[in-house]
């Protein structure tokens, strides 16, 4: 290889190495490898060369061209990598700044509990039904053995909308409506819904609250069935280790009636403020459906028996989420709502 | 109902059982002991104190000034009883301590020195009449003890939360009976075991029952020469422990008998009754009575009264009249013991707003068997205490004695109903313990059971089953899962729909609120002064705010936003409520409604300079609505200007799905915002959810998607500001042919180049065919057509880039 080519190569390599950007590199490429570039010029001299030298010079020239192309490619890659690095470093962000986000929507704790309770009962084979919030005295009281001067009506002061028309004080009227509609057992339903009592608002009372009514009627339904069903419910909702306690209570539409308590979810039965040192928390009312109620709904109490229960959804929500004031459920403060 | 434990011990032995356990057993048998509390008879404000300083009174010789203290309190006491040493332990009563005359101890000044407590004497706690003797403290008394605790006069009291059916337990005897049954121990004492000595009756009096349905039994006895005085300490103490007050001998004895036996009694001054006649009758319209609480009461004809020949002298079973009340000079007292029908009595007491100890008992039922026995018991106590002389000749009107009902009880049925583990013999035993008469037939297994007179709540065999179960113990009943046929349990479509919608709404970034179902006309007219929505009125509202059922969710949403704004001014709010609204006062109906509320900047951006955009809140709520509807149905809603004073007239719209209007949305009119104390731009939307629920109920259907690429074009149109983008989009869609898959607003630009009062709207168009790849040659003519008609119909000019 002659000196000229060696010089050319040295120049080209130096130029390639010196290129600092893609465009500079492109210029170098054109200068040396382009149609009218240095290599091209040398190619043009081939024709005038003696035959003996032509072959060797041509080979050397081609090899040189190849080396330069490689060098350019390598340099190109190097430059690209450098550029990318630069771009990436220029794009650095404060990664702790808040992201671009839409607000998160949350369901109300009452809705959460409502869904959870109905799911538990659906899993146990209960259909979920509903009844009207505006009721008649017959469905809300009379059909449930609560005549107008019944002492138990003290606890159920109601809002009246007209003669014989009121806002239901309990979800129990759905029992009668369902039995009337179905006409014959088996009945296995729950009915969640809103109820109203003419109570002044305080930490534990609200004129509006929510209940879920349950009813099972069939042949040979026993108190043992009632207990097993509600024990299962309590465990599903409050935890596997929860114990249930049943004690006599009174509701005009069940006989026998019972009040169901769970072992305290805070102290586990040792006694604390929440359970008023008893170790137990009252959670729901239940009982065997009163024969007169079955009769009122058109079922023969000689053939069928049943059990019914009523659970306070608000109460369950308050216990589950440690909410100490029922008013919080209806004030809808975002600081409250976003916790669920 | 409160019962001193000591009184129960007179009837049942239970010294061997801790009282907490006794209370628990009663609770588990259905008589809930809500509380066991120490009764200190008004002596709470007292303590055992230590004398820490003694000095002579500077002005009054013979008096000393003592400083008395315990760990938390300190008092100054003036005394002339004797000289005290520092370190002596003495009983102290301070401000609020109730003295035997009923007055509260107050601080006082004597000779220029203040005394704020006193050393308690025997008389002060009614140990004796001796006010000079300092109450002796037992060895066990510790500094800081409450004095009644220290001297052992504090009594444990059971406070019962009784159920409405157990009227028989509104007395010591009733609780004792159940306690005996629960513990399976005998009743030690027969309260009616006494000898009543009487003097001959020497005057005439009469009793007539004119309303036997309302008054099945009435008895009267004359007691001569009553003496009104203070009753003895033991009696007053029992009354206090039972939640009553000591008043005077006769009132106290009638209360005492009522507390012990459950039978309310009333005492008349017989000589004030005209013709000494008792007539039990309904009131006559317009009749009035002044009751012993000195209140004039107007009576209704449904009410039962005790009258004499001319006027009512008592509201039967509720309260006596003032004019016939016994006084210190009463010679002949008539003691009434009666039985009244519970329902009418309750109605009367409620109607007159007078719930008395007597009425509470009568309305829950009083034993008609013991009407006279209880009267005799009171007469016996009066005679024994020397407060009067009972005369014989008691009148007892009981025209139709209540016949005890026999109930057939099949033990096998009880086993099937409650538990197979309860043996028939145990059932019998339990019933007998509860004073039921159980007859066993010679043949067969059916028992004949008769309830005792005090158990008027027992009517059917299921009642007996409950009695058996509650004494047997509910917790001993084995739990058994019901056997059911396998079936698919479902929700109603309505509930399932509501549930899905709630979840979708939360997914759209909305948090759920739940508010009361109430509203009032004031807040409705604050929004809609003219076309106020018609609301269902509540006849007996509880508060002024809650006079009607809500016909719309909007006012509650605005109030929720206002409250949140007040509490946390910067929190962005995106809320929804899905709840019932009520229409048509004539024939009230209820339906589910949905309201959405947005207030504040809801898109959170890292910094103001980075990508802050001031999007009108209108577009935020519109975006939410579009997102929400898109989650429910592939159909695209359209929006037309709304006409509702709730909204900003230029920033509101009606929402259409197909041809059906399904709601409205918009920024709330600034004036209405101000009316609800909201200072930020707020938007609300209301949506009919019934059509959406119907859509949710349908299964989606797949439509074929093309496997060929789309051909994208765009078009920028310059139009006057007031031309809605939607109207141009409609033109584009109309002439876009079947090949136009999609057209949407891509950019809106305003600026000098465009000209004042104009905007440039850029639409992105996507063309696609199902069966082939489109070419420019196919799309170009369509684009030309679109351009032509956009110019022609919308008056737009094309903007070329
Ligand atoms: Zn606890």
């Amino acid at each position: 290889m002659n000196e000229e080519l060696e010089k050319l190569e040295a120049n080209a390599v130096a130029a390639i190495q010196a290129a600092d950007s893609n465009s500079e590199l492109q210029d170098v490429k054109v200068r040396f490898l382009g149609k009218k570039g240095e290599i091209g010029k040398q190619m043009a001299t081939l024709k005038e060369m003696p035959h003996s030298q032509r072959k060797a010079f041509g080979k050397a020239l081609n090899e040189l061209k190849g080396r330069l192309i490689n060098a350019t490619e390598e340099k190109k890659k190097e430059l690209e990598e450098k550029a990318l690095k630069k771009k990436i470093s220029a794009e650095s962000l404060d990664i702790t700044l808040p992201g671009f986000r839409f607000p998160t929507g949350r369901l109300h704790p009452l809705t959460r509990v409502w869904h959870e309770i109905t799911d538990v009962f659906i899993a146990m084979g209960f259909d979920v039904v509903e009844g009207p919030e505006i009721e008649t005295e017959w469905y809300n009281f009379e059909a449930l053995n609560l005549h107008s001067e019944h002492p138990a009506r003290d606890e159920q002061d109601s809002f009246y909308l007209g003669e014989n028309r009121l806002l239901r004080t309990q979800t129990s009227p759905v029992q009668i409506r369902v039995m009337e509609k179905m006409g014959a057992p088996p009945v296995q339903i729950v009915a969640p819904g809103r109820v109203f009592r003419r109570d002044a608002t305080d930490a534990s009372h609200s004129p509006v609250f929510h209940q879920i009514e349950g009813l099972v009627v069939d042949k040979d339904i026993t108190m043992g069935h009632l207990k097993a069903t509600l024990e299962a419910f309590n465990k599903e909702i409050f935890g596997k280790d929860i114990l249930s306690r049943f004690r006599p209570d009174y509701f005009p539409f069940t006989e026998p009636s019972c009040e169901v308590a769970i072992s305290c979810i805070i102290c586990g039965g040792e006694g604390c403020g929440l359970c008023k040192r008893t170790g137990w928390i009252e959670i729901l009312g239940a009982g065997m459906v009163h024969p007169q109620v079955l009769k009122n709904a058109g079922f023969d109490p000689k053939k069928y028996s049943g059990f019914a229960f009523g659970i306070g959804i608000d109460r369950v929500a308050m216990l589950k989420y440690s909410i100490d004031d029922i008013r919080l459920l209806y004030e809808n403060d975002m600081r409250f709502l976003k916790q669920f | 109902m409160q019962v001193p434990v000591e009184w129960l011990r007179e009837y049942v032995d239970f010294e061997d059982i801790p009282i907490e356990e006794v209370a628990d057993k009663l609770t588990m048998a259905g008589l809930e002991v809500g509380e066991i509390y120490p009764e200190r008879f008004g002596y709470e404000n007292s303590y055992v104190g230590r004398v820490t300083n003694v000095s002579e009174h500077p002005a009054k010789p013979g008096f000393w000034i003592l400083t008395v203290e315990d760990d938390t309190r300190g008092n100054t006491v003036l005394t002339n009883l004797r000289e005290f040493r520092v370190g002596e332990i003495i009983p102290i009563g301070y401000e609020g301590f109730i003295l035997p005359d009923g007055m509260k101890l107050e601080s006082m000044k004597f000779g220029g020195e203040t005394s704020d407590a006193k050393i308690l004497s025997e008389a002060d706690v009614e140990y004796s009449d001796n006010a000079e003797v300092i109450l002796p403290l037992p060895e066990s008394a510790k500094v800081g003890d409450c004095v009644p605790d220290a001297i052992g006069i504090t009594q444990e009291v059971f406070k019962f939360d009784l159920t409405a059916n157990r009227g028989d337990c509104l007395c010591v005897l009733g609780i004792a009976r159940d306690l005996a049954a629960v513990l399976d121990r005998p009743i030690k004492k027969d309260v009616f075991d006494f000898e009543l000595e009487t003097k001959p009756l020497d005057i005439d009096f009469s009793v007539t029952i004119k309303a036997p349905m309302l008054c099945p039994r009435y008895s009267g006895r004359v007691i001569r020469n009553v003496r009104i005085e203070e009753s003895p300490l033991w009696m007053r103490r029992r009354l206090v422990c039972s939640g009553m007050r000591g008043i005077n001998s006769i009132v106290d004895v009638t209360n005492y008998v009522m507390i012990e036996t459950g039978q309310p009694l009333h005492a008349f001054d017989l000589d004030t009754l005209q013709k000494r006649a008792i007539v039990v009758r309904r009131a006559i319209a317009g009749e009035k009575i002044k009751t012993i609480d000195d209140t004039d009461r107007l009576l209704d004809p449904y009410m039962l009264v005790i009258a004499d020949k001319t006027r009512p002298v008592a509201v039967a079973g509720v309260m006596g009249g003032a004019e016939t009340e016994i006084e210190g000079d009463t010679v002949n007292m008539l003691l009434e013991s009666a039985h009244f029908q519970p329902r009418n009595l309750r109605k009367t007491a409620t109607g007159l707003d007078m719930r008395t100890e007597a009425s509470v008992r009568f309305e829950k039922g009083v034993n008609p068997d013991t009407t006279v026995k209880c009267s005799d018991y009171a007469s016996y106590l009066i005679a024994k205490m020397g407060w009067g002389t009972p005369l014989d000749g008691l009148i007892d009107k009981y025209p139709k004695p209540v016949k005890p009902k026999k109930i057939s009880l099949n033990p096998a049925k009880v086993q099937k109903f409650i538990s197979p583990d309860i043996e028939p013999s145990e059932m019998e035993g339990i019933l007998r313990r509860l004073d039921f008469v159980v007859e066993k037939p010679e043949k067969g297994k059916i028992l004949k059971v008769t309830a005792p007179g005090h158990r008027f709540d027992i009517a059917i065999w299921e009642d007996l089953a409950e009695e058996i179960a509650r004494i047997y113990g509910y917790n001993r009943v084995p739990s058994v899962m019901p056997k059911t046929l396998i079936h698919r349990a479902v929700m109603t479509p309505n509930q399932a729909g509501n549930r899905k919608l709630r979840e979708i709404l939360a997914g759209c970034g909305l948090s759920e609120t739940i508010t009361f179902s109430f509203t009032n006309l004031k807040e409705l007219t604050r929004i809609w002064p003219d076309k106020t929505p018609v609301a269902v009125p509540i006849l007996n509202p509880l508060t002024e705010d809650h006079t009607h059922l809500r016909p719309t969710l909007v006012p509650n949403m605005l109030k929720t936003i206002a409250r949140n704004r007040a509490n946390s001014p910067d929190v962005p709010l995106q809320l929804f409520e899905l709840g019932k609204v009520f229409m048509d006062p004539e024939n009230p109906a209820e339906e589910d409604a949905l309201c959405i509320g947005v207030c504040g900047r809801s898109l959170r951006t890292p910094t103001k300079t980075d990508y802050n955009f001031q999007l009108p809140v209108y577009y935020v709520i519109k975006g939410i609505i579009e997102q929400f509807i898109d989650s429910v149905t592939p159909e695209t809603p359209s929006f037309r200007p709304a006409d509702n004073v709730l909204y900003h007239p230029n920033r509101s719209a009606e929402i259409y799905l197909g041809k059906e209007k399904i709601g409205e949305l918009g920024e709330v009119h600034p004036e209405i915002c101000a009316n609800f104390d909201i200072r930020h731009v707020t938007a609300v939307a209301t949506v009919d959810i019934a059509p959406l629920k119907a859509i949710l109920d349908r299964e989606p259907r797949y439509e074929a998607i093309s496997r060929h690429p789309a051909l994208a074009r765009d078009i920028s149109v310059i139009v006057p500001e007031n031309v809605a983008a939607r109207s141009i989009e409609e033109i584009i869609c109309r002439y876009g042919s079947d090949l136009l898959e999609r057209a949407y607003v891509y950019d809106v630009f305003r600026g000098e180049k465009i000209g004042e009062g104009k905007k440039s709207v850029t639409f992105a168009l996507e063309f696609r065919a199902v069966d082939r790849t489109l070419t420019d040659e196919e799309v170009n003519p369509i684009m030309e057509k679109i351009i032509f008609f956009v110019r022609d119909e919308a008056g737009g000019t094309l903007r070329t880039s």
Side-chain angles (χ1 to χ4, degrees), chain A residues 2 4-5 8 37-47 49 57 61:
Chain A
N2 64 27
E4 207 170 346
L5 281 191
L8 191 150
E38 297 294 330
I39 297 285
K41 280 180 195 160
Q42 293 296 332
M43 284 287 186
T45 63
L46 264 184
K47 284 181 216 155
M49 226 169 248
F57 186 77
L61 198 57

Side-chain angles (χ1 to χ4, degrees), chain A residues 264-281:
Chain A
C264 180
I265 51 175
I266 299 290
C267 66
E270 304 254 305
C272 69
L274 179 70
C275 57
K276 293 183 195 129
R277 327 235 157 258
T278 62
W280 296 98
I281 297 170

